[in-house]
Amino acid sequence: MQITIDEAKCCGAGQCVLVAPDVFDQRDEDGIVVLLNAAPDAGLHAAVREAATICPAAAIQVRE
């Protein structure tokens, strides 16, 4: 799995951080997503897919 984010699309909703806090965080100053781990272990894949699915701005792209 390879994850990319589009910071320009991110609206700072924080849903990704709630679902996969080991992979995503938010910048303190504006809430924009920060990718902590672009290639997470298999045990985190389901949470990452869910984060990408529920992202209201479609800012998270997942490549399997």
Side-chain angles (χ1 to χ4, degrees):
M1 170 179 279
Q2 186 68 33
I3 305 163
T4 56
I5 56 173
D6 185 340
E7 291 183 6
K9 287 184 174 180
C10 180
C11 64
Q15 298 301 307
C16 56
V17 179
L18 294 174
V19 173
D22 292 331
V23 179
F24 303 103
D25 199 357
Q26 290 177 282
R27 293 192 304 231
D28 291 336
E29 62 271 18
D30 58 9
I32 298 300
V33 65
V34 174
L35 184 59
L36 300 175
N37 183 355
D41 293 336
L44 296 172
H45 288 186
V48 170
R49 287 185 201 102
E50 181 178 355
T53 299
I54 65 172
C55 176
I60 301 168
Q61 303 299 315
V62 176
R63 194 168 10 138
E64 302 286 341

